[in-house]
């Protein structure tokens, strides 16, 4: 499986804690599914109809909907998840037990996943075959409730309303022309890495107008706005259908985008939106394929200030070689609106994006697959960013994905590492937690102004790894004042002694050191600074010139 597809595959396993599911390519409207059973007599072994299993996964309570049709003991139908629908193939019902395979389409790579189950009273108890993570991706897959391989209970019911778009017939899709490659002018935005909030990491597609307004209010009251977190970005799940002229409409969870944008602006904040160069987003919602200019104009008319543009189903239409032109198409459309909008590419770091992201008018581009709220995921992404440093600079930034700080999956030391590493990278600081929750992570980590200043340093240099000694990894980042930011990370599972040597970034002699997590001056140190670093933790220093 390709690396980017693997990332999304892992994301799905992680989000649902259950079978990886098909992507948007299989999406069908709920209405087009098999009707609810009218002849359902589970006791007699007829399991035709609509079955819903609910469980608490990373996305909160999630529905898996099974539309089953049984004829002569053969099972067909589909499995639906918030990410898309997949056909059921080669199923069989024998007495009170059954099995079927779900054909998962991971961006054109179809894999059959076996599901086995039993009729228990009025329920179906399914024991899905959990695949675990693909090799090399780290981290376990997971079952509902965290019990790997555990069963889910499905009951007859009516699925929740979904605003995902209908299936796309990719073979019949009209070709959209792509522009000839040329460098767009700089839009003048994001002179330092963008800071703000995005709905995805915490809410996924369970997002609405009210939540966004409340988050914006919380950005103000929590002090986040004043610390620089300006952009309130709505990720996937806001889209509805297009009107008769092809103009994109939000779904009923967002009754009036213009009024929402005005509300957010009135709070002294900016607002962002999300789409895809493909016909469908990763969540199976309407994308911008063939509507690029129209969508850009709509975002501008609503008063949007930021677009995250996520490759997703574009991979079904174009090849990696077309990616630059596809992103340039929207870059041009945004610029033609005359409204300054930060342009954020999300294509998981494929096709050497650092080399051309700036040319398509982008202010930031993802460099990796999706982050998870776990140390191994965050560390794997963050510590791999050193080589991307040359691509970062005022107006154009490497984006190792949004922050997980405050979402509960890491220890305070691990979250301090997350924040420090992102600051050293000069990464966008896009919080991904519920700002309404008055957590210590907001107060003590996201609002650490001394660390934010490292990220937002006007020189705009990406930091890089300058030393390693076992689990101790040292990064350095030059600052506009002539000082250096120096981070001593401990990637090990024991607290350890770590040292940063000035010579690793070309210095020697005595320099004053300030500890940016302790908020204390540590004194002057000659040539080297040694300290104890907690497990998975960091000591972050500003070393004076
Ligand atoms: C992809 C992106 C995520 C998020 C989801 C939305 O996985 O990488 O950041 O935007 O799509 O569906």
């Amino acid at each position: 499986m390709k690396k980017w597809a693997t990332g999304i595959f892992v994301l799905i396993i992680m989000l649902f804690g259950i079978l990886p599911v098909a992507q948007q390519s299989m999406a069908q409207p709920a209405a087009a599914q098999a009707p609810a059973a009218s002849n359902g007599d589970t006791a007699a072994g007829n399991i035709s109809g609509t079955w819903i299993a609910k469980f608490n996964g990373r996305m909160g309570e999630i529905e898996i909907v099974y539309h089953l049709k049984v004829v002569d003991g053969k099972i067909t139908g589909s499995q639906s998840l918030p990410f898309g629908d997949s056909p059921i193939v080669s199923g069989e019902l024998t007495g009170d037990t059954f099995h079927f395979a779900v054909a998962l389409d991971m961006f054109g790579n179809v894999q059959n996943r076996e599901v086995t189950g039993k009729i228990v009273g009025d329920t179906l108890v399914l024991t899905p075959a959990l695949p675990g993570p693909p090799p090399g991706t780290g981290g376990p897959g997971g079952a509902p409730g965290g019990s790997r391989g555990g069963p889910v209970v499905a009951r007859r019911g009516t699925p929740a309303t979904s605003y995902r778009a209908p299936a796309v017939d990719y073979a019949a899709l009209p070709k959209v022309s792509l522009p000839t490659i040329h460098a767009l002018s700089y839009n003048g935005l994001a002179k330092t890495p963008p800071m703000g909030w995005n709905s995805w990491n915490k809410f996924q597609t369970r997002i609405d107008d009210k939540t966004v307004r409340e988050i914006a209010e919380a950005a103000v009251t929590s002090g986040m706005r004043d610390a620089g977190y300006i952009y309130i970005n709505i990720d996937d799940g806001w889209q509805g259908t297009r009107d008769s002229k092809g103009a994109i409409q939000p779904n009923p969870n967002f009754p009036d985008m213009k009024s929402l944008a005005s509300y957010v602006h009135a709070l002294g904040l900016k607002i962002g939106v999300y789409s895809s160069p493909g016909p469908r987003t990763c969540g199976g919602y309407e994308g911008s394929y063939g509507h690029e200019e129209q969508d850009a104009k709509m975002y501008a008319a609503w008063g949007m200030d930021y677009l995250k543009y996520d490759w997703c189903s574009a991979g079904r239409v174009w090849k990696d070689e077309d990616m630059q032109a596809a992103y340039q198409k929207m870059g041009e459309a945004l610029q033609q609106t005359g409204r300054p909008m930060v342009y954020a590419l999300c294509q998981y770091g494929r096709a050497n994006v650092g080399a051309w992201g700036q040319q398509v008018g982008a202010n930031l581009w993802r460099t990796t697959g999706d982050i998870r709220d776990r140390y191994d995921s965050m560390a794997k992404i963050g510590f791999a960013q050193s080589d991307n440093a040359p691509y970062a600079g005022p107006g154009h930034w490497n984006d190792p994905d949004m922050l997980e700080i405050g979402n509960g999956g890491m220890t305070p030391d691990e979250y301090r590492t997350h924040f420090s590493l992102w600051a050293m990278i000069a990464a966008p600081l896009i919080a991904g937690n519920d700002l309404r929750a008055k957590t210590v992570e907001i107060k003590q980590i996201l609002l650490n102004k001394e660390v934010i200043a490292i990220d937002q340093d006007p020189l705009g240099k990406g930091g890089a790894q300058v030393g390693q000694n076992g689990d101790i990894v040292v990064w350095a980042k030059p600052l506009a004042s002539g000082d250096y930011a120096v981070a001593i990370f401990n990637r090990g599972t024991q607290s350890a002694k770590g040292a940063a040597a000035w010579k690793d970034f070309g210095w020697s002699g005595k320099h004053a050191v300030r500890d940016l997590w302790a908020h204390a001056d540590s004194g002057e140190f000659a040539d080297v600074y040694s300290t104890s670093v907690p497990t998975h933790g960091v000591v972050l220093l500003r070393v004076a010139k």
Side-chain angles (χ1 to χ4, degrees):
M1 201 186 303
K2 287 185 184 134
K3 215 170 143 196
W4 57 272
T6 305
I8 290 173
F9 179 79
V10 171
L11 171 81
I12 292 162
I13 296 170
M14 172 266 288
L15 288 176
F16 301 110
I18 191 149
L19 277 181
V21 293
Q23 299 295 301
Q24 68 291 341
S25 54
M26 309 299 297
Q28 294 166 27
Q33 304 289 347
S38 53
N39 57 346
D41 177 1
T42 312
N46 190 335
I47 59 171
S48 290
T50 302
W51 296 86
I52 299 173
K54 292 193 176 173
F55 65 91
N56 281 311
R58 199 184 115 98
M59 288 175 78
E61 192 176 71
I62 294 301
E63 278 188 1
I64 317 177
V65 182
Y66 292 102
H67 298 284
L68 306 180
K69 189 170 176 199
V70 186
V71 177
D72 295 337
K74 302 277 178 244
I75 306 174
T76 54
S78 67
Q79 174 191 274
S80 305
L81 277 153
F83 259 69
D85 304 345
S86 317
I88 284 173
V89 292
S90 63
E92 239 173 6
L93 174 69
T94 317
D96 63 352
T97 63
F98 58 90
H99 67 92
F100 54 79
V102 179
L104 306 169
D105 184 338
M106 259 78 76
F107 294 90
N109 179 8
V110 178
Q111 294 182 11
N112 287 349
R113 302 279 165 183
E114 195 71 9
V115 170
T116 56
K118 198 171 162 47
I119 301 168
V120 180
D122 287 343
T123 68
L124 303 183
V125 180
L126 314 173
T127 306
L130 290 177
T137 55
S147 62
R148 192 181 164 81
V152 293
V153 178
R155 295 189 165 80
R156 290 191 188 275
T158 310
T161 312
S162 163
Y163 300 114
R164 280 187 287 122
V168 172
D169 180 354
Y170 284 89
L173 201 65
K175 268 272 170 234
V176 161
S177 67
L178 292 176
T180 317
I181 302 279
H182 67 99
L184 304 194
S185 54
Y186 169 46
N187 62 10
L189 301 173
K191 295 215 163 91
T192 59
M195 290 176 67
W197 175 88
N198 173 293
S199 52
W200 182 254
N201 283 358
K202 174 71 186 176
F203 297 99
Q204 288 82 41
T205 57
R206 296 184 318 276
I207 188 76
D208 54 29
D209 176 282
K210 179 169 178 277
T211 309
V212 175
R213 284 175 198 245
E214 287 175 6
I215 293 285
E217 288 160 11
V220 177
T221 52
S222 61
M224 292 284 284
R225 178 196 65 186
D226 292 347
Y229 297 88
I230 290 297
Y231 291 97
I232 302 295
N233 294 341
I234 308 165
D235 207 278
D236 208 356
W238 63 267
Q239 310 88 327
T241 51
R242 295 185 180 277
D243 70 12
S244 57
K245 296 197 178 98
I248 185 75
Q249 307 296 315
N251 68 46
N253 291 329
F254 289 90
D256 186 342
M257 282 298 217
K258 199 168 176 177
S259 133
L260 176 58
S262 305
Y263 186 82
V264 171
H265 288 153
L267 292 169
L269 294 159
K270 293 184 183 295
I271 183 165
V273 74
Y274 165 99
S275 192
S276 170
R280 294 290 176 268
T281 65
C282 293
Y285 292 79
E286 186 73 23
S288 292
Y289 183 81
H291 295 274
E292 293 81 358
E293 285 89 25
Q294 217 175 2
D295 285 0
K297 277 190 195 144
M298 186 62 98
Y299 306 149
W302 285 338
M304 292 295 157
D305 306 298
Y306 190 116
L307 173 68
K308 173 174 167 184
Y309 207 43
D310 194 350
W311 191 240
C312 301
S313 69
R316 307 261 309 174
V317 186
W318 288 308
K319 302 200 176 339
D320 273 16
E321 300 90 88
D322 307 317
M323 205 179 253
Q324 180 173 354
Y327 275 107
Q328 182 184 313
K329 194 175 176 77
M330 182 53 96
E332 283 172 0
L334 291 174
Q335 294 200 356
Q336 275 158 17
T337 68
R339 182 175 177 87
M341 285 183 258
V342 169
Y343 187 28
L345 312 190
C346 179
Q347 39 78 285
Y348 336 115
R350 295 167 64 196
N352 197 19
V353 61
W356 52 262
Q358 213 184 334
Q359 289 179 43
V360 302
N363 301 104
L364 59 151
W365 44 81
R366 279 273 294 277
T367 55
T368 75
D370 289 12
I371 195 169
R372 301 170 59 183
D373 186 19
R374 299 170 51 108
Y375 178 78
D376 55 2
S377 163
M378 180 278 294
K380 188 166 186 231
I381 288 175
F383 289 114
Q385 298 304 310
S386 197
D387 290 347
N388 291 323
Y391 297 122
H396 53 96
W397 307 99
N398 294 307
D399 174 13
D401 207 356
M402 302 169 294
L403 301 170
E404 290 283 9
I405 295 159
N407 281 334
M410 293 186 231
T411 67
D413 276 322
E414 291 170 345
Y415 280 142
R416 277 190 278 273
T417 292
H418 187 3
F419 203 54
S420 305
L421 193 45
W422 264 234
M424 295 301 284
I425 291 164
L429 298 180
I430 307 292
N433 56 320
D434 187 345
L435 301 184
R436 298 167 302 184
K438 295 186 173 59
T439 59
V440 288
E441 282 94 346
I442 294 179
K443 253 197 166 145
Q444 292 175 4
I445 300 177
L446 289 167
L447 289 178
N448 184 329
K449 294 192 177 155
E450 296 193 79
V451 181
I452 293 173
I454 301 301
D455 180 82
Q456 295 290 300
D457 186 80
L459 189 62
K461 288 268 186 223
Q465 183 177 319
V466 294
Q468 177 163 19
N469 181 7
D471 289 330
I472 296 291
V473 173
V474 179
W475 279 53
K477 178 185 196 250
L479 303 174
S481 62
D483 296 353
Y484 254 91
V486 176
I488 309 171
F489 297 102
N490 176 5
R491 297 187 65 176
T493 51
Q494 310 278 321
S495 83
K497 195 118 203 227
W502 305 164
K503 70 169 169 32
D504 290 340
F505 46 92
W507 283 8
S508 60
K510 265 194 179 175
H511 292 275
V513 167
R514 181 166 173 84
D515 184 323
L516 305 184
W517 286 110
H519 300 290
D521 292 327
S522 312
E524 287 200 333
F525 292 82
D527 300 323
V528 67
Y529 180 89
S530 301
T531 183
S532 164
V533 190
T535 170
H536 290 180
V538 60
V539 171
L540 182 61
L541 311 170
R542 185 185 260 268
V543 183
K545 64 179 179 205

